Amino acid sequence: DIQMTQSPSSLSASVGDRVTISCRASQTMSSYLNWYQQKPGKAPKLLIHGASSLQSGVPSRFIGSGFGKDFTLTISSLQPEDFAIYYCQQTYSTPRTFGHGTKVEI
Amino acid sequence: QLQLQESGPGLVKPSETLSLTCTVSGGSISHNDYYWGWIRQAPGKGLEWIGTIYYNGDTNYNPSLKSRVTISVDTSKNQFSLKLSSVTAADTAVYYCGRIVIGDSYCVDVWGQGTTITVSS
């Protein structure tokens, strides 16, 4: 299985901050990397697919980048509704594994 | 607008079989461009991929669960189902069904709201 390592596991930030979350794969996987946002008691929501493609309806402050083994999710200006847990997911091979999540707190 | 809704018993006894159904509305499950899948999340934990099914019945399971998992599809009802046998407390989780886009990302672009399953006697 491809192991996904997210960092940091949690971070504290303020509204308006630029936030960066990293995801590293245990092997190279082209751009088969997706990002999800999950709020308490809710299902995850797709933000970014294919490493850098913004899902329809998602604000443009969410930016995905990376290729191969190293990927990044950037929130360019943190908004109050962005406080949540963020997960990366590899879809290069099965099983489609997720990172352990990054909790973005106030 | 496509919607997915999980349904199931809520409580399952240890060693029994967990059965869940995902009903797809607002679109057809018999679509060339999508898989349909199950993902779970234990309390306070991250997401775990269980497996997927195509409308023709082709399946792919997580090897860690493969010996206990069966995913099936009923195109006439626009539903797909999950069976997990010999459950233990470790199978207590929120179970989500989802639509997976076939192509360059295999992302889960539509999720059900999730259903909580507790394994307890």
Side-chain angles (χ1 to χ4, degrees):
Chain A
D1 300 3
I2 296 178
Q3 307 303 316
M4 306 302 295
T5 303
Q6 277 185 244
S7 61
S9 57
S10 66
L11 63 91
S12 296
S14 300
V15 173
D17 283 354
R18 182 181 182 89
V19 168
T20 299
I21 299 168
S22 296
C23 183
R24 167 164 278 198
S26 58
Q27 66 185 74
T28 188
M29 43 180 241
S30 184
S31 56
Y32 287 88
L33 191 286
N34 307 311
W35 290 98
Y36 301 88
Q37 175 194 66
Q38 188 178 33
K39 296 182 179 179
K42 300 293 187 181
K45 172 188 174 183
L46 178 66
L47 299 176
I48 302 287
H49 59 91
S52 60
S53 296
L54 191 68
Q55 174 67 359
S56 176
V58 174
S60 59
R61 63 180 179 273
F62 291 95
I63 303 163
S65 62
F67 185 87
K69 295 177 68 173
D70 292 303
F71 301 87
T72 300
L73 174 68
T74 299
I75 309 172
S76 60
S77 178
L78 199 66
Q79 297 302 299
E81 61 268 30
D82 300 338
F83 292 95
I85 299 176
Y86 294 84
Y87 293 95
C88 61
Q89 180 207 22
Q90 68 81 18
T91 54
Y92 181 76
S93 66
T94 56
R96 315 285 194 200
T97 45
F98 293 87
H100 288 99
T102 294
K103 186 174 185 179
V104 176
E105 301 176 293
I106 300 173
Chain B
Q1 180 182 353
L2 190 86
Q3 292 187 312
L4 281 67
Q5 178 68 58
E6 304 90 349
S7 57
L11 181 66
V12 183
K13 290 183 169 54
S15 79
E16 294 188 344
T17 296
L18 178 164
S19 295
L20 297 175
T21 296
C22 183
T23 300
V24 179
S25 59
S28 175
I29 203 170
S30 301
H31 198 297
N32 290 343
D33 295 337
Y34 304 111
Y35 293 123
W36 306 90
W38 292 95
I39 301 106
R40 70 180 182 177
Q41 187 170 34
K45 302 296 185 182
L47 300 162
E48 181 178 26
W49 188 266
I50 300 173
T52 59
I53 192 163
Y54 194 51
Y55 75 91
N56 68 356
D58 287 346
T59 54
N60 189 294
Y61 300 139
N62 189 325
S64 69
L65 298 168
K66 189 172 184 177
S67 63
R68 300 193 293 130
V69 170
T70 302
I71 298 176
S72 59
V73 64
D74 186 336
T75 55
S76 67
K77 294 181 178 179
N78 230 31
Q79 295 175 334
F80 62 104
S81 298
L82 168 70
K83 290 188 186 299
L84 182 65
S85 64
S86 304
V87 297
T88 70
D91 296 310
T92 293
V94 176
Y95 285 75
Y96 296 101
C97 60
R99 185 179 79 170
I100 296 99
V101 180
I102 297 172
D104 60 357
S105 68
Y106 295 95
C107 57
V108 184
D109 70 333
V110 181
W111 295 71
Q113 65 183 25
T115 187
T116 299
I117 297 296
T118 301
V119 178
S120 175
S121 55

